[in-house]
Amino acid sequence: MDMSLFPRRRLAHLPTPLEPMPRLSAHLGGPQLFVKRDDCTGLAGGGNKTRKLEFLIADALADGADTVITAGSVQSNHARQTAAAAAHCGLRCELVLPRFVPWEGPGYEVVGNVLLDRLLGAEVHLLPADTDRDAAMARVAEKARVRGARPYVIPVGGSNALGALGYVECAAELLRQAADLGIAIDALVTASGSGGTQAGLVVGCQRLAADFPVIGMCDAAPAQELAETVRALVAALGELLGGSRDIDWGRVEFLDAYAGAGYGLPTDAMVEAVTLAARLEGLLLDPVYTGKALAGLIDLVRRGRFRGDDTVVFVHTGGAAALDAYAGVFAGGGV
Ligand SMILES: *Cc1c(COP(=O)(O)O)cnc(C)c1O
């Protein structure tokens, strides 16, 4: 895989660490758990969108854009990282954020990611819950064009083939680190939402002949829907990268049992997972993605999915900036 063919604007602190989680592993009495620290990508709080934005922002700059537009939930980590990337590169940023998460936590529209969006200079459009995000981004782009600007629209989650390249690269980085540490990975677990992270990891791992499963924990969508999204992204990545396109789908899993009542809505298991990671490893997860994903991994461990001498890597995709928007849920507050 020659990634140097694709223009890239460096934004992330790489490589991110690959670290053991010995106290969490001992507490669960299960496999050896490691964490790939993509919460440490460094851009205004970091997270998985920064790797994608290296390719997307490079494309925007090559396009001559002076404005980037993207969309997400009110507490979108992707929106915050896009706002930071834009500020860093001297681009204007407009964010389309429909209020579709039925969460009434105090400060939900004021603190956390949306506070940072505003601080980073983005123009925030808080829109009604049922707003079609793609149509709304097209309208914002049209208005920008009328003003004489040159907008570039980044899809929700930065999840197109170009963005997913960031996670093809991450897979290569992870496999190098595992080799350096002398560990053999038996499973890789990631939160999965718009699908670009999981699609990139699947393509990167399989092209480098890694034979472990890549398990995606759905943030909301039914497993079937996420599977279709990831399949489409994997196909698009195949087009972009060329070469061998055979994917063993038997080694790609989609689990939707841990999403609870819906996107952005807390679950008891998420609260337990976030609390365990904090108290046993000093690690800050998030309420929307990584908390639910670790809750899923903990459940798999408790159900005996892994052997004691297995090595399982959890991808920490970031998101702790949203914790404040869920104050009251943690530290004994309950759901
Ligand atoms: C966006 C996001 C995800 C999901 O990544 P996708 O590539 O959209 O599937 C996971 N974790 C966090 C913290 C995120 O912000």
Side-chain angles (χ1 to χ4, degrees):
M1 287 187 300
D2 187 2
M3 303 292 290
S4 66
L5 295 174
F6 302 98
R8 186 168 173 187
R9 178 68 166 84
R10 296 284 170 164
L11 298 166
H13 299 175
L14 301 178
T16 60
L18 176 62
E19 298 174 334
M21 295 195 284
R23 283 174 33 84
L24 181 61
S25 304
H27 176 84
L28 297 173
Q32 300 308 307
L33 300 176
F34 281 73
V35 57
K36 176 64 172 157
R37 296 291 305 273
D38 267 21
D39 56 320
C40 298
T41 52
L43 184 68
N48 62 338
K49 305 310 181 308
T50 302
R51 287 188 192 264
K52 301 179 183 184
L53 286 162
E54 290 199 336
F55 294 97
L56 294 165
I57 293 285
D59 194 46
L61 292 170
D63 215 41
D66 55 16
T67 302
V68 291
I69 296 165
T70 198
S73 64
V74 173
Q75 284 294 333
S76 166
N77 302 299
H78 166 65
R80 182 246 312 155
Q81 288 162 82
T82 303
H88 189 72
C89 297
L91 302 169
R92 266 179 52 81
C93 179
E94 293 199 56
L95 301 172
V96 168
L97 310 179
R99 302 170 146 124
F100 63 85
V101 178
W103 179 247
E104 314 261 301
Y108 185 77
E109 295 191 356
V110 181
V111 302
N113 283 302
V114 74
L115 161 71
L116 300 177
D117 295 341
R118 293 176 172 129
L119 179 63
L120 292 160
E123 186 174 342
V124 172
H125 303 277
L126 292 182
L127 299 174
D130 60 356
T131 304
D132 178 305
R133 291 183 290 190
D134 290 335
M137 286 194 288
R139 280 198 301 277
V140 169
E142 189 47 40
K143 276 193 190 156
R145 264 183 227 105
V146 168
R147 282 198 309 271
R150 190 167 168 88
Y152 181 95
V153 174
I154 293 175
V156 171
S159 282
N160 55 18
L162 213 49
L165 281 178
Y167 275 84
V168 176
E169 171 83 6
C170 178
E173 182 183 299
L174 172 65
L175 295 175
R176 277 195 303 274
Q177 288 173 312
D180 287 348
L181 290 173
I183 58 173
I185 299 171
D186 296 292
L188 184 59
V189 174
T190 183
S192 199
S194 63
T197 301
Q198 190 176 6
L201 290 172
V202 165
V203 169
C205 288
Q206 293 209 9
R207 285 192 180 222
L208 292 168
D211 64 0
F212 48 79
V214 178
I215 304 172
M217 300 292 185
C218 306
D219 64 4
Q224 190 54 38
E225 216 173 281
L226 179 64
E228 279 164 28
T229 305
V230 170
R231 276 173 184 277
L233 284 166
V234 164
L237 272 172
E239 293 290 318
L240 198 60
L241 289 165
S244 158
R245 288 174 205 176
D246 289 340
I247 293 290
D248 175 1
W249 289 101
R251 283 188 274 122
V252 188
E253 297 177 39
F254 306 95
L255 302 183
D256 58 12
Y258 310 104
Y263 179 86
L265 298 177
T267 64
D268 288 330
M270 176 281 287
V271 174
E272 185 204 12
V274 171
T275 305
L276 283 177
R279 296 184 183 177
L280 294 172
E281 298 292 345
L283 192 65
L284 297 179
L285 300 185
D286 85 287
V288 180
Y289 297 96
T290 55
K292 289 180 178 177
L294 185 66
L297 172 54
I298 289 171
D299 188 59
L300 294 183
V301 169
R302 288 178 176 155
R303 287 167 182 272
R305 158 86 189 245
F306 306 106
R307 296 170 15 155
D309 59 355
D310 277 352
T311 295
V312 178
V313 175
F314 178 74
V315 184
H316 186 163
T317 43
L323 279 170
D324 280 350
Y326 290 82
V329 169
F330 298 100
V335 174

